[in-house]
Amino acid sequence: MRDVMVIGIGQTPVAEHWDKSLRHLAADAVLAAMRDADVDRADALYVGNMLSGEIAGQEHLGALIADFCGLRGIEAFKIEAACASGAAAVRMGYMAVAGGLANVVIAMGVEKMTDETGATVTSGLALAADGDYELPHGLSFVAINALLMQRYMYEYRVAREAFGHFAVIAHQNAMNNPNARFHVPLTLERFASSPMIAAPIGLMDSSPIADGAAAIVMCPAEFGRAHYRNGGPSVRISGSAVATDCLSLHDRRELLRLQAVEHSARKAYAQAGVGPEDIDFFEYHDAFTIMAALSLEGCGFAAPGTGTHLAREGALALDGRLPVATMGGLKGRGHPVGATGVYQVIEAVQQLRGQAGANQLPRARLGMAQNIGGSGATVVTHILEATE
Amino acid sequence: MRDVMVIGIGQTPVAEHWDKSLRHLAADAVLAAMRDADVDRADALYVGNMLSGEIAGQEHLGALIADFCGLRGIEAFKIEAACASGAAAVRMGYMAVAGGLANVVIAMGVEKMTDETGATVTSGLALAADGDYELPHGLSFVAINALLMQRYMYEYRVAREAFGHFAVIAHQNAMNNPNARFHVPLTLERFASSPMIAAPIGLMDSSPIADGAAAIVMCPAEFGRAHYRNGGPSVRISGSAVATDCLSLHDRRELLRLQAVEHSARKAYAQAGVGPEDIDFFEYHDAFTIMAALSLEGCGFAAPGTGTHLAREGALALDGRLPVATMGGLKGRGHPVGATGVYQVIEAVQQLRGQAGANQLPRARLGMAQNIGGSGATVVTHILEATE
């Protein structure tokens, strides 16, 4: 297998893009990534997207977006793995380059959600859960996460308010990210008083839906090193791993330990030859604050039941020992579902290149990005490394 | 890159499966393929599917199907490329094995379409076309193909009746395929008198929607040769290629030459080191009879405008020089859209192994399967070879 580098990144602001169609949004990100990489062609394009059929009235995004970006003819598919679709596309691109089937590959994610009503989006997101065994009980996707959070609070005797720190950090970090959906600070008081969505999940536990597109350009390391001109260190993908679990909560081995998070992280660590103690920062999947806690615990950054302690102690802040959601995470930057996994990888690259602006970490050699689909049923973990 | 073998095949009958959910249908195919390959595990599962979100109320099929097949935990995604989704999943599996990222990979396709009304299915299939520039004109997917057929008849002075031969061959070959949707012979007279759907496309030009699932198991050749026990020659994938084009007809370079068919076939030939004259049989994408003609022409089996001649002269029959749709094709076996590309590969494997029953070709060393998404916007071509 060949070493794979990320040589280009491009993203649109995460926002309500009333003025742009899905293909325009996608092209904005792809063309920006190609400019950043200084390439004018690619061998393949893999598009992460979950709901274009249900919400945007368009399937067949691979060929559509390739053509619209001036790449007519190249290999192109859409990849779907619920909220992990973005990182799944990155994984496919990694596979193509690492395996020697393609040299220059674009992996991108796009989702356009705000054109539709909340009810349609809620129904769409529910398709990530088990349609035969969960949805008939009236469970929305938020409600499924609420069951997890309820159980977590009960088992580990954690108060609702303890989760507030995750949201506060996310909003804080989003303040300096021009592409973030929110630029408003959040206090623990406002977190505590925010309206309840599906008890115990409140509005401020929840990441916002949004429109957005993000793209990266990947290539073999030899080509990348010869070609790369962006200044700062170049970025290598040193771990790429996927694990799955059953969709439905009732079938899980242990409700509060996300097996797929654990397996995916373990495989990525093994490939990169590192452990959790070596990771300088973590772009985690804080779709809901409970997912932030479970992701931290499953990846070995905290013992089961202690994820919120890390947040409370300041370890997750930009100046802490494991900064998370450094550009705002899903809560602050926003969660255009099929694009999120690519935003995470891009933000890791920004940190590793030293291009994270006011949020630049002093030490950023090894970053991890973890994208979670469903309530832990598909988990894609990438470890990225700055190299000279 | 490693040589890739197909060591297991499994399929459900193409039919109206009122008694089985989508996951059951998928598992029937996957478990049959695993039994055939004599494996009890896999490293990854790639699921081709187009419309599960719109019609079956379920996304996130990768993790869902992996779990339901007893493969909980493995890497699994859904791949979408309209009607080419099935072969796209095969392509992904090929990539993983050829590139050395996985050893035992299952590629499968599943589609469950008959639970919904025709109107819903028609709307769903239209998502393969350009939602901004084609659908607003009221074009259904059949209508788009009808425009192509109309133009073809005009440019090349071909009568409607000339397309009947494609349908007659398909129905003839489906007679002996127990998994085919239709077991009724078709005559040219009945073709000519069948009701018009979207002029000049009649009912008998059109492949039927259906429910169905098909799966293959792939592995590196060394493992396959050591492990393979199914009798008959083993089957190697000697060419795997994808090409795309714009979705919308009005943007095509030449309306009657499908660029993606040509590019995809050319790449597959080059990889396999063969030409059209070396292909013993062709599992083509006869979603509509016009696609059969354009696919034959784009792949170099017939000069532009002469595809129907091949059919009329008997060249495409089982005893002709280029048998097509040997188990019934999309018209006779049926077209469960996201599964079709995998059915095509399976049927090629059946021929190459000598397991095609009454339809067994006397000479079947090199077979080609071509899966077309949209009206030629994504084309995936595989060349399969019998080896000792």
Side-chain angles (χ1 to χ4, degrees):
Chain A
M1 291 207 319
R2 306 191 292 184
D3 254 12
V4 178
M5 271 177 62
V6 179
I7 59 164
I9 55 176
Q11 60 184 312
T12 72
V14 176
E16 299 194 20
H17 289 283
W18 300 99
D19 56 332
K20 290 201 170 168
S21 69
L22 184 129
R23 76 186 75 188
H24 278 88
L25 209 57
D28 282 354
V30 169
L31 296 176
M34 291 177 70
R35 270 194 304 277
D36 186 49
D38 193 22
V39 297
D40 56 11
R41 46 164 289 283
D43 299 319
L45 170 75
Y46 301 114
V47 178
N49 171 273
M50 179 184 178
L51 294 171
S52 72
E54 293 84 354
I55 294 183
Q58 183 73 65
E59 291 286 357
H60 211 169
L61 295 189
L64 181 82
I65 294 171
D67 175 47
F68 197 69
C69 294
L71 300 167
R72 186 183 292 188
I74 66 170
E75 170 163 347
F77 300 134
K78 162 176 160 174
I79 322 286
E80 190 274 328
C83 310
S85 301
V90 173
R91 166 71 179 164
M92 284 293 144
Y94 173 84
M95 231 166 69
V97 176
L101 286 99
N103 284 317
V104 179
V105 172
I106 300 169
M108 67 106 38
V110 60
E111 204 80 60
K112 197 154 195 310
M113 310 178 79
T114 68
D115 291 352
E116 274 295 346
T117 62
T120 303
V121 172
T122 301
S123 303
L125 291 173
L127 302 178
D130 192 312
D132 290 343
Y133 295 98
E134 291 188 317
L135 303 188
H137 299 285
L139 285 170
S140 69
F141 194 60
V142 187
I144 288 170
N145 280 273
L147 291 175
L148 278 176
M149 185 166 169
Q150 184 73 56
R151 189 73 196 170
Y152 188 99
M153 289 164 57
Y154 172 80
E155 290 280 352
Y156 298 128
R157 297 167 193 275
V158 173
R160 237 205 110 246
E161 291 66 35
F163 292 88
H165 296 280
F166 295 124
V168 169
I169 291 169
H171 275 254
Q172 181 57 44
N173 293 353
M175 294 289 287
N176 295 315
N177 177 3
N179 292 309
R181 180 121 159 83
F182 293 141
H183 296 108
V184 284
L186 179 67
T187 60
L188 285 174
E189 293 67 37
R190 190 156 155 249
F191 173 86
S193 64
S194 72
M196 202 51 76
I197 302 298
I201 289 185
L203 185 62
M204 287 300 141
D205 289 287
S206 315
S207 59
I209 65 154
D211 308 331
I216 64 170
V217 180
M218 282 175 276
C219 70
E222 318 84 75
F223 175 82
R225 271 191 284 270
H227 178 85
Y228 186 78
R229 303 188 207 152
N230 282 303
S234 56
V235 176
R236 177 176 166 262
I237 298 181
S238 53
S240 169
V242 186
T244 55
D245 200 344
C246 54
L247 266 58
S248 53
L249 293 187
H250 65 264
D251 259 348
R252 298 272 170 88
R253 206 164 298 173
E254 276 188 79
L255 202 55
L256 297 180
R257 293 188 60 171
L258 300 181
Q259 298 282 326
V261 164
E262 295 183 13
H263 291 164
S264 167
R266 200 150 59 218
K267 284 197 280 185
Y269 290 142
Q271 189 190 348
V274 301
E277 65 284 1
D278 300 307
I279 302 297
D280 294 323
F281 63 99
F282 183 28
E283 299 301 339
Y284 66 8
H285 190 93
D286 55 333
F288 300 100
T289 52
I290 178 65
M291 276 292 133
L294 293 175
S295 175
L296 284 166
E297 295 167 15
C299 293
F301 296 117
T306 69
T308 58
H309 305 187
L310 277 188
R312 194 183 54 217
E313 293 157 5
L316 306 182
L318 291 179
D319 60 356
R321 78 182 146 85
L322 183 75
V324 297
T326 67
M327 302 303 276
L330 280 64
K331 177 73 188 86
R333 174 239 299 129
H335 185 24
V337 293
T340 291
V342 187
Y343 276 101
Q344 293 177 308
V345 168
I346 286 176
E347 290 156 2
V349 171
Q350 289 179 308
Q351 289 290 355
L352 296 168
R353 281 184 181 176
Q355 297 175 344
N359 288 5
Q360 181 63 48
L361 303 171
R363 180 182 164 77
R365 292 275 305 166
L366 210 57
M368 186 154 104
Q370 184 169 74
N371 195 194
I372 302 181
S375 54
T378 302
V379 182
V380 186
T381 308
H382 284 100
I383 296 177
L384 295 107
E385 188 183 359
T387 61
E388 291 318 314
Chain B
M1 291 207 318
R2 307 193 291 186
D3 254 12
V4 178
M5 271 177 61
V6 179
I7 58 164
I9 55 176
Q11 60 185 311
T12 72
V14 176
E16 299 195 20
H17 289 283
W18 300 98
D19 57 331
K20 290 202 170 168
S21 69
L22 184 130
R23 76 185 75 188
H24 278 87
L25 209 55
D28 282 353
V30 169
L31 296 176
M34 291 177 72
R35 271 193 304 276
D36 186 50
D38 193 22
V39 297
D40 56 11
R41 47 163 290 282
D43 299 319
L45 169 74
Y46 301 113
V47 178
N49 171 273
M50 180 183 177
L51 295 170
S52 71
E54 293 85 353
I55 294 183
Q58 183 72 65
E59 290 287 356
H60 211 169
L61 295 189
L64 181 82
I65 294 172
D67 175 48
F68 198 69
C69 294
L71 300 167
R72 186 183 292 189
I74 66 169
E75 170 162 346
F77 300 135
K78 163 175 159 174
I79 321 286
E80 189 275 327
C83 310
S85 301
V90 174
R91 166 71 179 163
M92 284 293 145
Y94 173 84
M95 233 166 69
V97 175
L101 286 99
N103 284 317
V104 178
V105 172
I106 300 168
M108 67 105 39
V110 59
E111 204 81 59
K112 198 155 195 309
M113 312 178 77
T114 67
D115 291 350
E116 273 295 346
T117 62
T120 302
V121 172
T122 301
S123 303
L125 291 173
L127 302 178
D130 192 312
D132 291 344
Y133 295 98
E134 291 188 316
L135 304 188
H137 299 284
L139 285 169
S140 69
F141 194 61
V142 187
I144 288 170
N145 280 273
L147 291 176
L148 278 176
M149 185 166 170
Q150 184 73 57
R151 190 74 197 171
Y152 188 99
M153 289 164 56
Y154 173 80
E155 289 281 352
Y156 298 128
R157 297 167 194 276
V158 173
R160 236 204 111 247
E161 291 66 36
F163 292 87
H165 296 280
F166 295 123
V168 170
I169 291 169
H171 275 254
Q172 181 58 43
N173 293 353
M175 294 289 288
N176 295 315
N177 177 2
N179 293 308
R181 181 121 159 82
F182 293 140
H183 297 108
V184 284
L186 178 68
T187 60
L188 285 174
E189 293 65 39
R190 191 160 154 246
F191 173 87
S193 65
S194 73
M196 201 53 74
I197 302 299
I201 289 184
L203 185 61
M204 287 300 141
D205 289 286
S206 315
S207 59
I209 65 153
D211 308 331
I216 64 171
V217 180
M218 282 175 277
C219 70
E222 319 83 76
F223 175 83
R225 271 190 284 270
H227 179 84
Y228 186 78
R229 302 188 208 153
N230 282 302
S234 55
V235 176
R236 177 177 166 260
I237 298 181
S238 54
S240 170
V242 186
T244 55
D245 200 344
C246 55
L247 266 58
S248 54
L249 293 187
H250 65 264
D251 259 347
R252 299 272 169 88
R253 206 165 297 173
E254 275 187 80
L255 203 55
L256 298 180
R257 292 188 61 171
L258 300 181
Q259 298 282 325
V261 165
E262 294 183 14
H263 292 163
S264 167
R266 201 151 58 219
K267 284 197 281 184
Y269 290 143
Q271 188 190 347
V274 301
E277 65 284 1
D278 300 307
I279 302 297
D280 294 323
F281 63 100
F282 183 29
E283 299 300 339
Y284 66 8
H285 191 92
D286 56 332
F288 300 100
T289 53
I290 178 65
M291 276 293 133
L294 293 175
S295 174
L296 284 166
E297 295 167 16
C299 292
F301 297 117
T306 69
T308 59
H309 304 187
L310 277 187
R312 194 183 54 217
E313 292 156 5
L316 306 182
L318 291 179
D319 60 357
R321 75 183 148 84
L322 183 75
V324 296
T326 67
M327 302 304 276
L330 281 64
K331 177 73 187 86
R333 174 239 300 128
H335 185 25
V337 291
T340 291
V342 186
Y343 275 100
Q344 293 177 308
V345 168
I346 286 175
E347 289 155 1
V349 171
Q350 288 179 308
Q351 290 290 354
L352 296 168
R353 280 184 182 177
Q355 296 175 343
N359 287 4
Q360 181 61 50
L361 302 172
R363 180 181 163 77
R365 292 275 304 165
L366 210 57
M368 186 155 103
Q370 183 169 74
N371 196 195
I372 302 181
S375 54
T378 301
V379 183
V380 186
T381 308
H382 284 100
I383 296 178
L384 296 107
E385 189 184 358
T387 61
E388 289 320 313

